Short mmCIF file of all heavy atoms in Angstrom, two decimals:
data_model
loop_
_atom_site.label_atom_id
_atom_site.label_comp_id
_atom_site.label_asym_id
_atom_site.label_seq_id
_atom_site.Cartn_x
_atom_site.Cartn_y
_atom_site.Cartn_z
N ALA A 262 -4.61 57.40 56.46
CA ALA A 262 -4.15 58.66 56.94
C ALA A 262 -3.33 59.41 55.85
O ALA A 262 -3.47 60.61 55.65
CB ALA A 262 -3.30 58.45 58.24
N GLY A 263 -2.48 58.64 55.20
CA GLY A 263 -1.60 59.23 54.17
C GLY A 263 -2.45 59.88 53.05
O GLY A 263 -2.09 61.02 52.62
N ILE A 264 -3.43 59.21 52.60
CA ILE A 264 -4.28 59.79 51.54
C ILE A 264 -5.07 61.01 52.04
O ILE A 264 -5.15 62.01 51.31
CB ILE A 264 -5.26 58.73 51.02
CG1 ILE A 264 -4.50 57.53 50.36
CG2 ILE A 264 -6.27 59.33 50.04
CD1 ILE A 264 -3.82 57.90 49.04
N ILE A 265 -5.55 60.92 53.27
CA ILE A 265 -6.27 62.10 53.79
C ILE A 265 -5.37 63.31 53.77
O ILE A 265 -5.79 64.43 53.42
CB ILE A 265 -6.75 61.78 55.25
CG1 ILE A 265 -7.88 60.80 55.22
CG2 ILE A 265 -7.21 63.10 55.96
CD1 ILE A 265 -8.36 60.30 56.59
N SER A 266 -4.12 63.15 54.09
CA SER A 266 -3.18 64.27 54.17
C SER A 266 -2.94 64.94 52.81
O SER A 266 -2.48 66.06 52.72
CB SER A 266 -1.82 63.84 54.79
OG SER A 266 -1.14 63.04 53.90
N THR A 267 -3.27 64.24 51.75
CA THR A 267 -3.13 64.79 50.39
C THR A 267 -4.32 65.59 49.88
O THR A 267 -4.26 66.24 48.85
CB THR A 267 -2.85 63.69 49.31
OG1 THR A 267 -4.05 62.90 49.16
CG2 THR A 267 -1.71 62.80 49.73
N LEU A 268 -5.41 65.60 50.60
CA LEU A 268 -6.63 66.27 50.17
C LEU A 268 -6.44 67.75 50.25
O LEU A 268 -5.81 68.26 51.20
CB LEU A 268 -7.85 65.76 50.98
CG LEU A 268 -8.13 64.26 50.92
CD1 LEU A 268 -9.33 63.89 51.75
CD2 LEU A 268 -8.33 63.81 49.47
N SER A 269 -7.04 68.48 49.29
CA SER A 269 -6.88 69.90 49.20
C SER A 269 -7.36 70.61 50.44
O SER A 269 -8.43 70.34 50.93
CB SER A 269 -7.69 70.44 47.99
OG SER A 269 -7.88 71.83 48.13
N LYS A 270 -6.57 71.57 50.87
CA LYS A 270 -6.94 72.32 52.09
C LYS A 270 -8.13 73.28 51.81
O LYS A 270 -8.84 73.72 52.70
CB LYS A 270 -5.76 73.06 52.66
CG LYS A 270 -5.46 74.39 51.90
CD LYS A 270 -4.34 75.14 52.67
CE LYS A 270 -3.82 76.32 51.86
NZ LYS A 270 -4.84 77.38 51.64
N ASP A 271 -8.36 73.58 50.55
CA ASP A 271 -9.47 74.50 50.20
C ASP A 271 -10.70 73.70 49.99
O ASP A 271 -11.41 73.84 48.96
CB ASP A 271 -9.13 75.28 48.92
CG ASP A 271 -7.93 76.18 49.16
OD1 ASP A 271 -7.80 76.74 50.23
OD2 ASP A 271 -7.06 76.26 48.28
N SER A 272 -11.07 72.83 50.90
CA SER A 272 -12.24 72.01 50.77
C SER A 272 -12.91 71.77 52.12
O SER A 272 -12.31 72.12 53.16
CB SER A 272 -11.85 70.65 50.09
OG SER A 272 -10.84 69.99 50.86
N THR A 273 -14.05 71.19 52.08
CA THR A 273 -14.82 70.94 53.30
C THR A 273 -14.95 69.41 53.52
O THR A 273 -15.32 68.70 52.56
CB THR A 273 -16.19 71.60 53.20
OG1 THR A 273 -16.00 72.99 53.11
CG2 THR A 273 -17.06 71.25 54.41
N MET A 274 -14.68 68.90 54.72
CA MET A 274 -14.77 67.51 55.01
C MET A 274 -15.78 67.30 56.11
O MET A 274 -15.76 68.03 57.16
CB MET A 274 -13.46 66.93 55.46
CG MET A 274 -13.53 65.44 55.82
SD MET A 274 -11.95 64.72 56.27
CE MET A 274 -11.32 64.24 54.71
N LEU A 275 -16.66 66.34 55.96
CA LEU A 275 -17.64 65.91 57.01
C LEU A 275 -17.10 64.67 57.64
O LEU A 275 -16.79 63.68 56.97
CB LEU A 275 -18.99 65.65 56.38
CG LEU A 275 -20.09 65.05 57.27
CD1 LEU A 275 -20.42 65.93 58.45
CD2 LEU A 275 -21.34 64.76 56.48
N LEU A 276 -17.00 64.65 58.99
CA LEU A 276 -16.61 63.48 59.70
C LEU A 276 -17.25 63.46 61.05
O LEU A 276 -17.75 64.45 61.56
CB LEU A 276 -15.09 63.42 59.86
CG LEU A 276 -14.34 64.63 60.47
CD1 LEU A 276 -14.46 64.60 62.01
CD2 LEU A 276 -12.83 64.61 60.12
N ASN A 277 -17.30 62.27 61.65
CA ASN A 277 -17.88 62.10 62.97
C ASN A 277 -16.76 62.07 64.04
O ASN A 277 -16.00 61.14 64.09
CB ASN A 277 -18.65 60.79 63.03
CG ASN A 277 -19.44 60.54 64.33
OD1 ASN A 277 -19.11 61.22 65.35
ND2 ASN A 277 -20.32 59.64 64.36
N PRO A 278 -16.73 63.07 64.91
CA PRO A 278 -15.60 63.12 65.90
C PRO A 278 -15.62 62.03 66.93
O PRO A 278 -14.64 61.75 67.59
CB PRO A 278 -15.83 64.53 66.56
CG PRO A 278 -17.29 64.79 66.41
CD PRO A 278 -17.68 64.13 65.05
N VAL A 279 -16.77 61.35 67.05
CA VAL A 279 -16.87 60.26 68.03
C VAL A 279 -16.23 58.96 67.43
O VAL A 279 -15.76 58.11 68.21
CB VAL A 279 -18.35 60.03 68.42
CG1 VAL A 279 -18.49 58.85 69.38
CG2 VAL A 279 -18.94 61.26 69.03
N THR A 280 -16.23 58.75 66.15
CA THR A 280 -15.77 57.55 65.55
C THR A 280 -14.51 57.74 64.65
O THR A 280 -14.08 56.82 64.01
CB THR A 280 -16.86 56.89 64.68
OG1 THR A 280 -17.23 57.80 63.64
CG2 THR A 280 -18.12 56.53 65.50
N THR A 281 -14.02 59.01 64.67
CA THR A 281 -12.80 59.23 63.92
C THR A 281 -11.63 59.29 64.90
O THR A 281 -11.66 60.02 65.88
CB THR A 281 -12.88 60.56 63.11
OG1 THR A 281 -14.00 60.48 62.23
CG2 THR A 281 -11.64 60.84 62.34
N SER A 282 -10.54 58.55 64.57
CA SER A 282 -9.43 58.58 65.47
C SER A 282 -8.61 59.83 65.36
O SER A 282 -8.62 60.45 64.34
CB SER A 282 -8.52 57.33 65.19
OG SER A 282 -7.81 57.57 64.01
N SER A 283 -8.07 60.15 66.46
CA SER A 283 -7.14 61.32 66.53
C SER A 283 -6.07 61.16 65.47
O SER A 283 -5.68 62.19 64.82
CB SER A 283 -6.53 61.42 67.89
OG SER A 283 -5.37 62.25 67.92
N ASN A 284 -5.57 59.98 65.22
CA ASN A 284 -4.56 59.72 64.23
C ASN A 284 -4.99 60.10 62.85
O ASN A 284 -4.29 60.82 62.10
CB ASN A 284 -4.12 58.24 64.31
CG ASN A 284 -2.97 57.97 63.42
OD1 ASN A 284 -3.11 57.57 62.28
ND2 ASN A 284 -1.73 58.23 63.92
N LEU A 285 -6.19 59.69 62.42
CA LEU A 285 -6.71 60.07 61.12
C LEU A 285 -6.93 61.62 61.03
O LEU A 285 -6.65 62.28 60.11
CB LEU A 285 -8.04 59.34 60.80
CG LEU A 285 -7.97 57.88 60.46
CD1 LEU A 285 -9.33 57.37 59.97
CD2 LEU A 285 -6.91 57.62 59.39
N PHE A 286 -7.48 62.14 62.16
CA PHE A 286 -7.83 63.54 62.21
C PHE A 286 -6.56 64.46 62.02
O PHE A 286 -6.57 65.45 61.35
CB PHE A 286 -8.57 63.92 63.49
CG PHE A 286 -9.15 65.28 63.46
CD1 PHE A 286 -10.14 65.66 62.64
CD2 PHE A 286 -8.67 66.18 64.37
CE1 PHE A 286 -10.65 66.98 62.65
CE2 PHE A 286 -9.16 67.50 64.41
CZ PHE A 286 -10.19 67.86 63.55
N LYS A 287 -5.47 64.00 62.68
CA LYS A 287 -4.21 64.73 62.57
C LYS A 287 -3.76 64.88 61.13
O LYS A 287 -3.10 65.79 60.78
CB LYS A 287 -3.12 64.04 63.32
CG LYS A 287 -3.06 64.40 64.83
CD LYS A 287 -1.75 63.79 65.45
CE LYS A 287 -1.44 62.40 65.03
NZ LYS A 287 -0.50 61.67 65.86
N SER A 288 -4.16 63.90 60.28
CA SER A 288 -3.65 63.93 58.94
C SER A 288 -4.46 64.89 58.02
O SER A 288 -4.07 65.15 56.91
CB SER A 288 -3.69 62.50 58.36
OG SER A 288 -5.01 62.03 58.27
N VAL A 289 -5.55 65.38 58.53
CA VAL A 289 -6.40 66.34 57.80
C VAL A 289 -5.61 67.68 57.77
O VAL A 289 -5.10 68.11 58.82
CB VAL A 289 -7.74 66.51 58.44
CG1 VAL A 289 -8.56 67.63 57.75
CG2 VAL A 289 -8.51 65.21 58.46
N HIS A 290 -5.55 68.31 56.63
CA HIS A 290 -4.82 69.56 56.52
C HIS A 290 -5.53 70.60 57.44
O HIS A 290 -6.74 70.71 57.51
CB HIS A 290 -4.91 70.12 55.04
CG HIS A 290 -3.98 71.23 54.82
ND1 HIS A 290 -4.15 72.48 55.37
CD2 HIS A 290 -2.83 71.31 54.10
CE1 HIS A 290 -3.14 73.27 55.00
NE2 HIS A 290 -2.33 72.57 54.25
N SER A 291 -4.67 71.32 58.21
CA SER A 291 -5.28 72.20 59.24
C SER A 291 -6.07 73.29 58.68
O SER A 291 -6.89 73.95 59.33
CB SER A 291 -4.14 72.77 60.15
OG SER A 291 -3.27 73.51 59.25
N GLY A 292 -5.86 73.63 57.37
CA GLY A 292 -6.64 74.69 56.75
C GLY A 292 -8.00 74.22 56.26
O GLY A 292 -8.82 75.01 55.85
N MET A 293 -8.20 72.92 56.30
CA MET A 293 -9.49 72.37 55.73
C MET A 293 -10.66 72.74 56.67
O MET A 293 -10.56 72.79 57.83
CB MET A 293 -9.38 70.88 55.56
CG MET A 293 -10.40 70.31 54.61
SD MET A 293 -10.33 68.51 54.52
CE MET A 293 -9.04 68.21 53.36
N ASN A 294 -11.78 72.98 55.98
CA ASN A 294 -13.00 73.30 56.75
C ASN A 294 -13.68 71.98 57.17
O ASN A 294 -13.96 71.13 56.37
CB ASN A 294 -13.97 74.07 55.86
CG ASN A 294 -15.25 74.41 56.61
OD1 ASN A 294 -15.23 74.72 57.80
ND2 ASN A 294 -16.36 74.49 55.92
N ILE A 295 -13.80 71.76 58.48
CA ILE A 295 -14.34 70.44 59.02
C ILE A 295 -15.71 70.63 59.55
O ILE A 295 -15.98 71.54 60.36
CB ILE A 295 -13.38 69.96 60.17
CG1 ILE A 295 -11.98 69.82 59.66
CG2 ILE A 295 -13.94 68.67 60.76
CD1 ILE A 295 -11.79 68.67 58.75
N ILE A 296 -16.66 69.76 59.07
CA ILE A 296 -17.99 69.73 59.72
C ILE A 296 -18.05 68.44 60.56
O ILE A 296 -17.80 67.37 59.99
CB ILE A 296 -19.06 69.67 58.60
CG1 ILE A 296 -18.98 70.94 57.75
CG2 ILE A 296 -20.47 69.57 59.21
CD1 ILE A 296 -19.97 70.96 56.62
N LYS A 297 -18.35 68.57 61.82
CA LYS A 297 -18.36 67.46 62.68
C LYS A 297 -19.80 67.05 62.90
O LYS A 297 -20.57 67.80 63.48
CB LYS A 297 -17.64 67.79 64.00
CG LYS A 297 -16.16 67.98 63.91
CD LYS A 297 -15.49 68.35 65.22
CE LYS A 297 -14.04 68.48 65.06
NZ LYS A 297 -13.36 68.98 66.28
N ASP A 298 -20.16 65.84 62.51
CA ASP A 298 -21.56 65.40 62.61
C ASP A 298 -21.55 63.87 62.47
O ASP A 298 -20.53 63.33 61.95
CB ASP A 298 -22.43 66.08 61.56
CG ASP A 298 -23.94 65.92 61.87
OD1 ASP A 298 -24.31 65.38 62.95
OD2 ASP A 298 -24.75 66.38 61.04
N ILE A 299 -22.63 63.23 62.84
CA ILE A 299 -22.67 61.82 62.48
C ILE A 299 -22.82 61.69 60.98
O ILE A 299 -23.21 62.66 60.29
CB ILE A 299 -23.85 61.08 63.20
CG1 ILE A 299 -25.19 61.54 62.74
CG2 ILE A 299 -23.70 61.19 64.70
CD1 ILE A 299 -26.32 60.68 63.20
N SER A 300 -22.47 60.56 60.45
CA SER A 300 -22.29 60.41 58.99
C SER A 300 -23.66 60.47 58.30
O SER A 300 -24.73 60.15 58.86
CB SER A 300 -21.57 59.09 58.65
OG SER A 300 -22.51 57.99 58.84
N ILE A 301 -23.60 60.83 56.99
CA ILE A 301 -24.84 60.74 56.17
C ILE A 301 -25.36 59.36 56.06
O ILE A 301 -26.59 59.11 56.21
CB ILE A 301 -24.56 61.46 54.81
CG1 ILE A 301 -24.23 62.94 55.03
CG2 ILE A 301 -25.81 61.30 53.93
CD1 ILE A 301 -23.65 63.62 53.79
N PRO A 302 -24.55 58.33 55.75
CA PRO A 302 -25.07 56.98 55.75
C PRO A 302 -25.69 56.52 57.04
O PRO A 302 -26.67 55.75 57.05
CB PRO A 302 -23.82 56.05 55.40
CG PRO A 302 -22.94 56.99 54.60
CD PRO A 302 -23.14 58.36 55.24
N ALA A 303 -25.16 57.03 58.19
CA ALA A 303 -25.77 56.58 59.47
C ALA A 303 -27.24 57.02 59.50
O ALA A 303 -28.11 56.30 59.96
CB ALA A 303 -24.98 57.14 60.64
#
Side-chain angles (χ1 to χ4, degrees):
Chain A
I264 296 291
I265 289 174
S266 70
T267 68
L268 302 178
S269 161
K270 78 174 173 64
D271 298 319
S272 57
T273 296
M274 177 180 274
L275 173 61
L276 56 78
N277 182 346
V279 177
T280 60
T281 301
S282 74
S283 162
N284 186 264
L285 288 188
F286 188 65
K287 274 189 320 196
S288 65
V289 176
H290 193 291
S291 62
M293 199 184 276
N294 183 34
I295 302 290
I296 300 177
K297 293 179 179 172
D298 195 4
I299 67 168
S300 75
I301 297 170

